[in-house]
C-alpha cells in the first residue's frame, strides 16, 4: 500500500431529505478522480482504503453512506428513520456528490456490498464511470443473501443455530433477517445490543477459516459502529436491497465500453466465486482475477492485485 495520507478537503453533503453524507478528498486535487464505495452496507469508509491509490496520480474521494460512519443522523440511534436509506437513495447520493465536486467521470473502487452499489450506480449512469475495480463481487440477489445467512450454515451448523436462536421463537423458521431488523430497531438498548452481538458473531464465524479471519473481526468494532452496521445490514438484506432479482446481471450490457477488473478469492465462503464469474461472462470489458489463496478478507496476493489494477488505470 502507499504511505498514509490525510484529506485535503472534506464536508457534509446535504441530500435535501434530512440526511448529511460525509465525504473527503485525498491525493492530487488535479489527479484522476476515483470514488471509494465501502461495504457493509453500513460499515463506513476506512481511512486505510486511501492507501491503495497512488496519491500523486489520483484524486481520491471517500464517503460514508447514509446513516453510518460520520454521516448523520446515525443508525445507532433507534430514532433514526431508515425509510430513506435504500440502494436508490445511495445511487442518487453518489451522483449528487459527483456534481458537488465538479467531476465529469470517475473510477469506482469497492468490494462486497460496495460492488453491488457500484453496479447499480454504473448501470444508472454509465456515462459517468471511467473504470471499475471490484473486490469480493456481490450483486445482493436473494439467492446470495439466502446463502450467506442460511446456506453457508452447513459449514458452521452450531454457529448458525445460535444465529437462529437469536430471534424470537415464532420467527426462527421464517424471515430471520426481518426479525433482526426489528430487534435492532427496538427502543430497548439491551435488545438492540444482544441482536447486534448475535449477528456479528455469525459474521465472524463465516470468515473464521480465512487467513485474515481473525476472531472478532466484526464484533470488535466500536459500539456505535456495530449497532449501525447491523441495523443497516438487516434493513437492506431483509428487503433484498430494493433490487429486482437478478437485475444487475441482466443489465450488465449497459457497462459496455467501461473497463473493469473483478478480483475475487477462490476460498470466499460468504460470497462464492460463481457470482463474479457470472458477471464477467455478461460484461465483455471486465477481467476476472481469481486469487487462489484468498477468501472474503483478502491476502497479500489479493492486495497486490488491487494495487496492480488501480496503478494500471491511473494514467488512462
Amino acid at each position: 500500500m502507499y504511505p498514509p495520507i490525510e484529506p485535503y478537503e472534506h464536508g457534509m453533503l446535504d441530500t435535501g431529505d434530512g440526511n448529511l453524507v460525509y465525504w473527503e478528498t485525498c491525493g492530487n486535487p488535479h489527479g484522476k478522480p476515483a470514488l471509494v464505495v465501502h461495504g457493509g452496507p453500513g460499515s463506513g469508509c476506512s481511512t486505510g482504503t486511501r492507501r491503495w491509490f497512488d496519491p500523486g496520480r489520483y484524486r481520491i474521494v471517500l464517503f460514508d453512506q447514509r446513516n453510518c460512519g460520520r454521516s448523520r443522523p446515525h443508525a445507532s440511534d433507534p430514532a433514526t428513520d431508515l425509510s430513506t436509506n435504500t440502494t436508490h437513495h445511495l445511487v442518487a447520493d453518489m451522483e449528487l456528490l459527483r456534481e458537488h465536486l465538479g467531476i465529469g467521470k470517475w473510477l469506482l473502487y469497492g468490494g462486497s456490498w460496495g460492488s453491488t452499489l457500484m453496479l447499480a450506480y454504473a448501470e444508472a449512469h454509465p456515462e459517468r464511470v471511467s473504470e471499475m475495480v471490484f473486490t469480493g463481487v456481490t450483486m445482493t440477489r436473494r439467492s446470495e443473501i439466502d446463502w450467506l445467512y442460511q446456506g453457508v450454515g452447513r459449514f458452521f451448523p452450531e454457529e448458525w443455530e445460535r444465529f437462529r436462536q437469536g430471534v424470537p421463537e415464532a420467527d426462527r423458521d421464517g424471515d430471520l433477517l426481518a426479525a433482526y431488523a426489528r430487534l435492532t430497531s427496538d427502543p430497548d438498548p439491551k435488545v438492540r445490543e444482544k441482536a447486534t452481538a448475535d449477528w456479528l458473531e455469525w459474521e465472524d464465524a463465516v470468515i473464521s477459516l480465512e487467513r485474515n479471519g481473525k476472531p472478532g473481526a466484526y464484533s470488535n468494532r466500536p459500539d456505535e459502529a456495530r449497532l449501525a452496521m447491523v441495523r443497516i445490514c438487516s434493513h437492506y438484506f431483509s428487503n433484498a436491497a430494493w433490487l429486482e432479482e437478478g437485475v444487475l446481471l441482466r443489465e450488465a450490457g449497459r457497462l459496455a465500453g467501461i473497463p473493469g477488473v473483478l478480483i475475487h478469492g477462490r476460498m470466499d465462503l460468504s460470497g462464492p466465486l460463481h457470482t463474479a464469474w457470472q458477471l464477467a461472462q455478461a460484461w465483455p470489458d471486465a477481467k476476472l482475477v481469481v486469487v487462489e489463496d484468498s477468501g472474503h478478507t483478502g491476502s497479500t496476493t489479493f492486495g497486490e492485485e488491487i494495487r496492480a489494477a488501480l496503478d494500471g488505470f491511473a494514467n488512462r
Side-chain angles (χ1 to χ4, degrees):
M1 300 178 83
Y2 287 96
I5 54 174
E6 294 297 324
Y8 64 81
E9 188 178 17
H10 63 90
M12 300 292 275
L13 181 73
D14 189 341
T15 63
D17 58 5
N19 281 277
L20 297 173
V21 171
Y22 174 84
W23 61 269
E24 63 182 38
T25 50
C26 314
N28 182 352
H30 306 292
K32 179 186 184 70
L35 178 70
V36 175
V37 185
H38 69 69
S43 69
C45 63
S46 165
T47 58
T49 313
R50 306 166 183 162
R51 298 180 56 198
W52 290 120
F53 297 84
D54 182 342
R57 295 192 287 174
Y58 275 106
R59 179 186 179 188
I60 312 150
V61 182
L62 296 90
F63 76 110
D64 289 327
Q65 293 160 29
R66 290 189 178 209
N67 309 128
C68 71
R70 288 154 288 188
S71 294
R72 292 295 181 267
H74 204 265
S76 59
D77 180 352
T80 296
D81 179 15
L82 297 186
S83 65
T84 57
N85 191 337
T86 70
T87 302
H88 308 294
H89 286 95
L90 299 186
V91 168
D93 292 347
M94 292 163 67
E95 183 62 1
L96 186 64
L97 179 58
R98 183 195 63 78
E99 293 173 350
H100 175 73
L101 296 176
I103 292 171
K105 277 190 173 185
W106 48 11
L107 174 148
L108 302 182
Y109 165 74
S112 195
W113 155 254
S115 59
T116 294
L117 184 53
M118 287 162 55
L119 282 171
Y121 176 87
E123 290 179 9
H125 304 283
E127 74 284 357
R128 298 303 182 188
V129 179
S130 56
E131 304 90 9
M132 291 196 281
V133 177
F134 296 79
T135 61
V137 180
T138 71
M139 289 185 276
T140 315
R141 295 170 292 185
R142 288 192 181 276
S143 57
E144 296 172 58
I145 297 168
D146 289 347
W147 168 258
L148 178 56
Y149 294 102
Q150 183 165 346
V152 75
R154 68 192 65 182
F155 293 98
F156 307 99
E158 183 178 354
E159 292 85 350
W160 187 79
E161 184 58 28
R162 284 202 299 268
F163 179 66
R164 179 176 172 269
Q165 293 287 332
V167 305
E169 186 174 357
D171 296 313
R172 289 173 189 166
D173 293 320
D175 190 338
L176 291 179
L177 305 189
Y180 271 102
R182 291 192 296 273
L183 293 171
T184 54
S185 297
D186 195 281
D188 186 339
K190 291 182 179 178
V191 172
R192 297 197 306 275
E193 288 162 10
K194 182 181 184 305
T196 296
D198 289 341
W199 180 288
L200 293 176
E201 187 177 344
W202 170 246
E203 299 279 7
D204 286 341
V206 174
I207 62 166
S208 62
L209 302 181
E210 300 184 9
R211 179 178 300 179
N212 290 340
K214 300 173 184 176
Y218 291 100
S219 300
N220 289 341
R221 301 180 184 204
D223 287 346
E224 186 180 75
R226 285 159 37 91
L227 288 163
M229 180 176 173
V230 175
R231 189 176 175 213
I232 293 171
C233 273
S234 57
H235 170 64
Y236 267 76
F237 295 154
S238 62
N239 287 286
W242 299 271
L243 294 169
E244 183 184 337
E245 183 69 0
V247 66
L248 297 180
L249 185 61
R250 288 198 305 274
E251 296 294 321
R254 295 182 58 78
L255 306 176
I258 302 173
V261 179
L262 315 176
I263 305 168
H264 206 100
R266 188 177 295 281
M267 308 309 294
D268 190 339
L269 271 181
S270 58
L273 175 61
H274 183 63
T275 296
W277 184 85
Q278 285 182 307
L279 181 59
Q281 301 306 300
W283 179 11
D285 297 286
K287 172 188 176 185
L288 175 61
V289 178
V290 180
V291 183
E292 300 293 340
D293 68 349
S294 177
H296 199 70
T297 57
S299 66
T300 300
T301 310
F302 199 90
E304 291 169 353
E305 294 292 352
I306 295 172
R307 177 161 168 175
L310 292 172
D311 283 353
F313 285 142
N315 291 328
R316 184 176 178 273

